[in-house]
Amino acid sequence: MVKSGKKSNGLKKGEFATASNGNQAQPIKPWTVAIYMVADGQGGSPDLDQVAMRELALIMDAADKYVSKVNVVVQLDLRTVDGTLRLLKTSSKEVFGIGLDEKNFAKIETLQNFLQFVTEKSETEHYLLLFWGHSSGPVVFVGDFENG
């Protein structure tokens, strides 16, 4: 479902973008930090989108300090941007990005698909999953603006 009035994330659906040529094999690291960021829930707003983008920049900056031991994978859903963004940071010089169709982050299939991506693209010894965003009350951990 396309949300009216939204901007494009700049990537074609299913298209990867990278900041550099990184075809060199990397040794297995101890950790992957996977972040499921939802700014598109019932409490979402353009202001929350701005907070999400600022925090994403801080996360990527912090990852530079620990990139020899940690990969960072983010899946982000913004209220004012149509589509879903996935990022994978494996080195201080590389950030891979992929633009996906709009996903309903409240559906278990969306989370399962993200976790499959994480384990396939960021093989490490351990994984940490963080949920970022506004919950939808005591029963629902995460909501999404999209119906269904």
Side-chain angles (χ1 to χ4, degrees), residues 63-75:
D64 281 341
K65 297 175 187 172
Y66 303 100
V67 77
S68 65
K69 296 181 181 180
V70 177
N71 291 334
V72 175
V73 186
V74 177
Q75 182 162 298

Side-chain angles (χ1 to χ4, degrees), residues 23-79:
N23 295 332
Q24 198 172 25
Q26 299 291 326
I28 292 179
K29 296 179 186 179
W31 285 96
T32 290
V33 176
I35 306 169
Y36 199 71
M37 294 184 80
V38 184
D40 194 17
Q42 293 176 349
S45 68
D47 291 337
L48 186 58
D49 281 3
Q50 290 178 7
V51 171
M53 294 304 294
R54 280 194 307 266
E55 291 203 11
L56 178 59
L58 291 171
I59 289 165
M60 291 301 171
D61 286 344
D64 281 341
K65 297 175 187 172
Y66 303 100
V67 77
S68 65
K69 296 181 181 180
V70 177
N71 291 334
V72 175
V73 186
V74 177
Q75 182 162 298
L76 173 63
D77 188 19
L78 298 170
R79 182 72 165 243

